[in-house]
């Protein structure tokens, strides 16, 4: 096997999250040969700022670069399908941002294509890779909580609180029919399926658009920027500012999650609690290096991330000793270490320890059910066709063990 | 007006919460002339333990005691209607525990009877009386948050986690058709209506009974006791261990709450967050002497209970200076001070600052809608008949301002 | 033995803490026959506001009231000695606020007098009576932490932050030569001796007066009031705004505490951590219903106050089930229940479970050493003469077991 | 100026912190050409694991590598002087771990040598570079807190709790005469000088060695490892497990800090609070992405790390939007970005924004005073000779503005 340092990568998208991909890849020792920006000019500027050697003019040039074995896709959602399709067809491994595609039909195509090519395919559900979430999964699936009964939580942000806040995610043509659900709700739901080993079987959703007219600036806007601009035009908004969703899981658990991008003061607050028949577990992304374990007949516990005390996967995901907080950036290094172990090995492992396109597709299916439920005001089952792909979603893998 | 010390009271029920009523009344200077236990023997034992002079043999003896002007009802739910009816008919003011009755039909009767008699009627939604919840109400209704958009939270306990946990609330004949919702969910929903000034207009509910068979001990059981007993018989359980509820409010806000009595490690954890168009506010009953205020474009705030910084009602509800934590017991003293100000004045004020029977009835109506929604799997409107009572619920009062 | 309700009490002082004494006594069922205010007029006003039947004109009238068996002293510190002496000489049991006296010589006199009379004597170190502090003591003295090594913490307030803040405690003639240390530091040090069972043997102290001139209002000022007044005169301040103290304990533990009344935003924040050779324990008065237990080789623990899980004394001090927060007021009820059990029994028990005058005196001895250490810039031993009193301080009792 | 990607670096030391240096350098785009391990074998193994191209056989080989412009020193403390001296003499910029040397005499030599060579010299006080600590410095030095009065806190760990815990830091010959103070206390003290802009002028210290005999394993041990080994020999321990230190600052502030490596459950817990005449500020390394601001007459504040709300330096140190937690690793990237801006510019800036050797030396001087104070049981002044170096410590720079 080649050393990790012999692997070459390229990153599409140079915004906030594209930068994280570039830096996390370099951290773990992967060569990032170039980036592809939204325009050649922007790509060149960002490449220089990031200290990346090259900015590709377009995807064709990128795919013609033989040093590149893996391509990371962090462009707006509407580009995920065409770019990822081209990457796979050019026989490159791919790591794609969530949501995987604009619709479940699109993501199904990507799952099928990835299976056909036999290439490595990963969806960047990075929150899984906080060491304590890896530990939580092992704790829950090992049965330490007893039967999982109740799965609750939220994902709140405030960067779209005001009518003057704008981002491409607000445009259904670029972000998809679901906005808050697709952008952050998908993280929460993937995480819960990952930790519990149970897929979501049915949903009952309420979507709310409190700000029905927003001001679109005439210039470009960075994600998470909260600055306002003078020149703007009014746009009608159809996608949800917030969502309230009730959930039924395949293994019998019930749940609920609240999702919002208009909760003042909550910058990026994902919380979950999983209540089992014996114990509970809870985690908060604003304090990610500790996890709460609830007990009925003894004191509750707070476990700090601790390689000496966590499960094997939890320890594997930790780069630092206990008490040395690991954050959002570190999750990407942990994620990419898992993916690139497969890259070094030459192809996807039988049961990848990272989220695959199948996992990304599963969240698209849940999203479809959410949309339908909200429109029809009733419980809607998540419709899954029997999957035969070699990289089936996590929960299926779990169930078959 | 007579001094407070000239007012006489009696308390029905001598369990955990009955004890709190007795002690809180004494704290504020009211004479507690006697208690009525579930049996004369138990009443006598508890009266001695509490240092109360007398244990009534039955309600008739209590109502024959001319020194008693106010009766507190803390008996099991099925007794609320007959006892409260008798108390009102005997022309005594009454403070009743929540839920106010077994059904909305019962609570409607009590609202009407209280209105007819002109007597003071209060429902013990004690959580309103944490000073910071009084302050939160003033903050929200004064518009400091802007328009209220999202109202989310939970109320979790764990004292019914195990099949061996038993309490009269598990028997529909004594506790009502709703259990977790009636016992603790009603607190959360009343609190949110109180703080936002918006009544709940529609609900979508999921009720879950994870433990369908429990062991009923042959002897008596104290509420919140988690000890197990050797001798018990199996009972089928029909009421919910947990509930997930989505909410629409009259003023346009959307919400969701999760309610559970089977969440290991959560002893009595009520949390809420109210997100407005400008700011947010959040509170946690496990740390009740501080409240969180969320902002988009400046630092978030933590306000410790502080008579020097709170609204007028917040300050009125506070007995102690900032930093001297006030807890569950203190809320009862704050509540009863409000009620007994009316008692001293001779009758209910035009707009009582405490929860009346009308408020207790409103939660029963919401409960009816929850039951129907869960059974039918759809959104159900809360059906309210136009109220003409002099003690209309808080939210109506608010709406008319 | 007479019932508790047959016991009569009177309270000297009608300010913030005097009110707490009155209400806590009533809560537990003791008859409060009257109060004695700083002036007859103020006493009368406060008696009416509190619903207490009588305001004594002076201490003589109080001591002439044969119904009164116990007197609570909550007057300014300079009155503790003369009033308590008179009370004991009039053969009444006494509960006195901390600091017990102005000097160790004064408190020694009170210890001796109390011993001679055989009457019940208690110092209101109320923080001991948070249920989890009772539990902590049992946990630590049972050896669960191993050898106690490090005892650290702080007690911070902000009500004397500004030069315009005034209170009688600022006058050495009324409050004593130590201010922050006497008023709040004494709480922390008593608590640590209580929890560890180790008395302080030597101290090294730094006292700091940051505001050397303050404005004394011409009118009266309530403790913890932060309002400012227009008319005031300048006063030179000699007592400390803050103290930093290093500690050696009799059992070999080392410690340090920071004490301040000028820490903006800290209203009444006492924190401690006790680190043993096996485990640690930490508590915070701003969140008093939970305690932290630290471990090296397993997860840390958070114990919520829980009668089902605490030690016998912890459970005895708890009035409410887990999750129902108990606060500052509740500690007084728990304290007085212990004291009045002795009152009902007719005299002090052999090993009182509450802080006696001997405990109050011990903190005065520590205070003397602190003053000397700060003046001389060196470690100073706490000078204790061999005690032979029947109510010897807690730590001695412990050591002799 | 050359691009950052053209800069070459090498790292001495391949343990926990050496790995962090390598990965943080790669993250920001610096080429790490090789590492130097404690032995050539270990160096080779670690280079392969880290994906670094080369493992130097010795320092000579490293210094012969012309591609290397900056050397990072993360070896045991006794090697800092000889290695750093050789690096500077070979005209390479240098980033050295703390403590900078074994004694103040050694660190003085390094300060002088660095000044003579004109090369960039940095001490890795990484905790300064949490964005909120940069923001805190700007907040405090801008006067937002008023006059700084009280500076308190702690730094607690537990990885040396047991007699079976071993590390080279326990050997005075390799770690220095101070252990807990040198290893972690120096971080706290540097941070406080950085944030307040005040150097420590005098100290009063108590050092405690609770475990006077430890077991040294016969094999190698990783820092922060808590695993135990079977074969070991007894060693007498002379260095402190814990230290209690009182502080006087040049600007008049008083302070105290507790330092411990034997506090069970505290993995790496640094806390500080700075109380000024108007407001306070507090921070906790276990939750580093938020900071507390205390106020007397309005609500306290919690500021989440937020590029939109922090000071210029705070924002510059932040790599991610609000709510995306940055941790221990990220501080190194932020630190190295500052240092390498100077590297790209060709030499140290007039007022470096990072900790220089002069800052590292200043902590050695404080350490000397601590040692003397503990031995003599009295306050000891920090003895500073007038510095004329171009890279004078932060506080001097501040004072001269």
């Amino acid at each position: 096997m080649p050393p990790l340092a012999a692997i070459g990568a390229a990153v599409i998208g140079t915004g906030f999250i594209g930068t994280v991909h570039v830096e996390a890849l370099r951290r773990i020792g992967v060569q990032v040969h170039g980036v592809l920006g939204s325009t050649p000019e922007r790509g060149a500027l960002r490449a220089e700022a990031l200290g990346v050697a090259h900015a590709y003019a377009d995807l064709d040039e990128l795919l013609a670069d033989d040093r590149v074995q893996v391509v990371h896709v962090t462009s707006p959602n509407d580009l995920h399908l065409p770019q990822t399709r081209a990457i796979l067809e050019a026989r490159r491994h791919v790591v794609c941002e969530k949501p995987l595609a604009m619709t479940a039909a699109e993501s199904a195509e990507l799952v099928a294509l990835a299976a056909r090519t036999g290439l490595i395919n990963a969806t960047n559900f990075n929150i899984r890779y906080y060491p304590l979430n890896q530990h939580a999964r092992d704790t829950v699936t090992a049965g330490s909580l007893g039967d999982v009964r109740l799965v609750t939580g939220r994902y709140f942000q405030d960067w779209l609180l005001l009518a003057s806040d704008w981002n491409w995610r607000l445009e259904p043509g670029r972000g998809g029919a679901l906005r808050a659900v697709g952008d952050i709700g998908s993280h929460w739901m993937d995480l819960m399926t990952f930790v519990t080993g149970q897929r979501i079987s049915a949903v009952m959703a309420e979507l709310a658009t409190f700000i029905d007219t927003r001001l679109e600036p005439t210039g470009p806007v960075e994600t998470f920027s909260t600055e306002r601009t003078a020149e703007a035009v009014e746009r009608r908004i159809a996608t949800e500012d917030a969502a309230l969703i009730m959930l039924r899981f395949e293994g019998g658990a019930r749940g609920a999650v609240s999702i919002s991008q208009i909760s003042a003061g909550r910058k990026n607050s994902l919380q979950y609690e999983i209540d089992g028949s014996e114990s509970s577990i809870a985690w908060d992304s604003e304090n990610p290096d500790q996890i709460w374990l609830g007990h009925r007949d003894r004191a509750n516990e707070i476990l700090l991330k601790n390689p000496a005390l966590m499960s094997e996967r939890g320890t594997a995901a930790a780069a630092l000793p206990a008490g040395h907080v690991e954050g959002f950036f570190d999750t990407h290094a942990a994620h990419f270490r898992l993916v690139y172990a497969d890259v070094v090995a030459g192809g996807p492992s039988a049961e990848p320890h990272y989220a695959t396109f199948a996992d990304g597709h599963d969240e698209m299916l849940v999203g479809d059910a959410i949309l339908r439920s909200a429109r029809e005001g009733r419980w809607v089952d998540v419709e899954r066709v029997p999957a035969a792909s070699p990289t089936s979603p996590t929960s299926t893998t779990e169930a078959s063990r």
Side-chain angles (χ1 to χ4, degrees), chain A:
Chain A
M1 291 193 300
L4 191 56
I7 308 292
V11 175
I12 301 176
T14 58
F16 145 62
I17 198 67
T19 299
V20 168
H21 282 247
V22 168
E23 295 190 356
L25 287 171
R26 290 200 301 222
R27 175 179 177 183
I28 67 170
V30 171
Q31 302 297 317
V32 179
H33 292 298
V35 293
L36 174 61
S38 52
T39 65
E41 295 70 31
R42 184 171 156 81
L45 276 171
R46 293 296 300 152
E48 187 182 350
L50 289 167
V52 169
H54 186 65
Y56 299 105
D58 54 29
L59 185 54
D60 286 343
E61 189 199 346
L62 189 159
L63 295 176
D65 187 342
D66 286 341
R67 302 168 304 171
V68 172
Q69 292 153 271
V70 190
V71 183
H72 290 241
V73 180
T74 77
S75 47
N77 303 346
D78 59 323
L79 299 177
H80 290 187
L81 174 70
Q83 292 179 334
T84 301
R85 188 199 286 136
I87 294 161
L88 289 169
E89 288 175 346
R91 299 213 52 80
R92 299 320 206 291
H93 306 301
V94 63
V95 176
C96 186
E97 271 299 326
K98 35 50 56 182
L100 180 55
M102 295 287 280
T103 65
E106 286 190 7
S107 56
E109 179 187 335
L110 291 177
V111 170
L113 181 59
R116 210 155 54 231
T117 60
L119 291 160
I120 291 162
N121 54 95
T123 308
N124 187 28
F125 284 123
N126 72 293
I127 303 177
R128 288 186 177 200
Y129 307 99
Y130 282 99
L132 286 167
N133 284 335
Q134 295 282 317
H135 177 74
R137 174 203 167 80
D138 291 344
T139 300
V140 174
T141 57
S144 296
L145 267 53
D147 294 332
V148 172
R149 290 171 171 174
L150 212 53
V151 179
T152 55
R154 74 166 189 204
Y155 199 154
F156 282 2
Q157 300 181 330
D158 75 356
W159 65 292
L160 295 175
L161 176 68
L162 306 175
S164 51
D165 297 322
W166 187 261
N167 185 272
W168 59 259
R169 286 172 180 82
L170 289 157
E171 302 170 59
R174 303 192 67 194
L178 287 168
R179 187 218 319 160
V181 171
D183 192 32
I184 57 177
S186 61
H187 268 302
W188 191 93
M189 292 183 287
D190 174 75
L191 186 61
M192 291 302 91
T193 287
F194 174 68
V195 172
T196 64
Q198 293 188 25
R199 293 192 303 191
I200 294 165
S201 58
V203 298
M204 168 73 213
E206 170 93 325
L207 303 178
T209 305
F210 295 104
I211 305 168
D212 55 11
T213 305
R214 287 178 181 264
L215 300 173
E216 179 181 6
T218 52
V221 178
E222 289 291 317
T223 298
F224 284 111
S225 169
T226 53
E227 287 178 24
R228 306 183 202 173
T229 182
E231 294 181 54
V233 289
E234 289 201 349
R235 297 287 181 214
R236 296 291 299 178
I237 299 296
T239 56
E240 77 284 0
D241 293 316
L244 307 166
I245 310 174
M246 303 200 298
L247 306 159
R248 292 175 185 156
F249 289 82
E250 286 186 341
R254 310 294 178 92
V257 61
S258 302
I259 297 160
S260 159
Q261 295 178 313
I262 49 91
S263 294
R266 302 299 183 190
K267 303 305 169 189
N268 193 36
S269 167
L270 183 157
Q271 297 180 338
Y272 69 78
E273 174 163 332
I274 301 170
D275 299 327
S277 56
E278 292 172 22
S279 293
S280 304
I281 198 164
W283 184 81
D284 180 344
S285 68
E286 288 186 352
N287 204 352
D289 232 38
Q290 59 176 62
I291 201 161
W292 177 90
L293 293 150
H295 305 292
R296 221 295 280 275
D297 295 325
R298 58 189 176 99
N300 296 331
E301 293 173 292
I302 300 284
L303 177 64
L304 273 70
K305 176 209 70 191
N306 192 340
L309 299 180
M310 291 187 296
S311 71
E312 193 179 344
R313 283 190 195 180
T315 297
L320 300 173
H324 298 72
V325 171
E326 297 185 58
F328 181 85
F329 178 80
D330 303 272
T331 62
H332 291 83
H335 180 196
F336 298 162
R337 282 188 215 277
L338 291 175
V339 172
Y340 279 76
D342 274 7
V343 173
V344 165
S349 41
E351 293 190 10
H353 284 188
Y354 47 85
T356 62
F357 279 8
D359 295 302
H361 174 54
D362 208 66
E363 291 314 321
M364 296 305 301
L365 292 173
V366 174
D368 275 6
I370 287 169
L371 261 181
R372 206 169 333 131
S373 169
R375 285 175 188 150
E376 301 178 10
R378 62 173 183 88
W379 282 93
V380 170
D381 287 342
V382 178
E383 288 184 22
R384 293 184 178 91
V385 286
S389 105
T391 54
S392 55
T394 310
S395 52
T396 302
T397 302
E398 282 307 307
S400 64
R401 293 206 299 201

